[in-house]
Amino acid sequence: MILVFEIPAVSWALTAVLSAAGAYHLYLAARARQATDRINEALHALMHAAMAAMIWNLAPAALLA
């Protein structure tokens, strides 16, 4: 069985993509006019951060959920 996340290049690439997407959602949250849009974008940014943490096993998936 090939463990994809054991390959550092894949882990770093996914972390970079998730970080960029999370930063973009934080940017959208800062520019949002309605509170619902602000909350939606902030939750998306939080989701990206949680997925990046799961790649590096910084916290168990059950704890992040």
Side-chain angles (χ1 to χ4, degrees):
M1 183 167 114
I2 299 173
L3 298 175
V4 175
F5 297 118
E6 298 276 330
I7 303 169
V10 174
S11 296
W12 282 109
L14 285 174
T15 301
V17 168
L18 289 169
S19 297
Y24 178 68
H25 282 287
L26 281 177
Y27 169 75
L28 291 178
R31 293 186 47 98
R33 293 184 182 187
Q34 294 183 343
T36 53
D37 290 337
R38 209 171 302 128
I39 292 168
N40 182 37
E41 296 299 339
L43 286 174
H44 273 84
L46 181 64
M47 178 185 61
H48 287 290
M51 286 189 294
M54 281 187 260
I55 290 172
W56 294 101
N57 292 325
L58 296 178
L63 176 68
L64 292 172

